[in-house]
Amino acid sequence: MIDMDAEAFERLVIDELDRLPDDMVDGLDNVVFVVEDRPEDGSLDLLGLYDGLALTERDRYGLGELPDRIILYRDPHLAQCETEDDLRDEIHTTLVHEIAHFYGIDDERLHELGWA
């Protein structure tokens, strides 16, 4: 387990977001990235969550909609990683996984692609 404060973790998340391919992030519309310590249930099992309406389901999506959220949970990431390199890799994978949900890719397909 790694010990890292919230500010340092957020810097890693931003750094990994910057490393993602432009064609992956350029299409993100009305999405915010949020870091929280743990999921609502307090578990350490969930690394991230896409909270919103997938692009493939936005037939009536329009102005005035609250932004979708991609949430990364700090404590579960820290609990599952032993080194900062492991943590960076896990953050990267979580970002790709949750962004894929924005684009309408489900968990089954993500498993097939090796991102789950």
Side-chain angles (χ1 to χ4, degrees):
M1 180 172 181
I2 297 175
D3 184 29
M4 179 179 290
D5 66 27
E7 187 176 309
F9 185 82
E10 286 182 25
R11 281 194 305 268
L12 284 182
V13 170
I14 291 167
D15 192 37
E16 289 306 313
L17 266 172
D18 288 343
R19 294 173 190 247
L20 294 175
D22 289 343
D23 57 349
M24 181 181 291
V25 294
D26 286 348
L28 296 174
D29 181 37
N30 205 28
V31 176
V32 296
F33 290 85
V34 178
V35 172
E36 295 181 0
D37 288 336
R38 290 185 183 208
E40 287 183 21
D41 67 3
S43 76
L44 293 174
D45 298 327
L46 186 64
L47 297 174
L49 178 70
Y50 172 66
D51 178 26
L53 190 61
L55 195 61
T56 54
E57 299 173 12
R58 291 185 177 190
D59 60 340
R60 292 197 175 103
Y61 193 84
L63 297 174
E65 298 288 337
L66 290 175
D68 292 358
R69 298 183 318 148
I70 292 178
I71 306 166
L72 275 76
Y73 297 111
R74 183 175 64 97
D75 291 345
H77 275 89
L78 298 179
Q80 293 188 23
C81 298
E82 295 183 18
T83 67
E84 188 172 314
D85 285 341
D86 291 343
L87 181 59
R88 284 182 175 277
D89 288 345
E90 197 60 56
I91 289 170
H92 184 91
T93 299
T94 303
L95 286 169
V96 170
H97 182 105
E98 302 309 332
I99 289 170
H101 286 318
F102 167 83
Y103 287 112
I105 301 171
D106 64 16
D107 282 332
E108 182 179 328
R109 182 66 180 136
L110 285 167
H111 278 283
E112 292 171 5
L113 296 170
W115 289 104

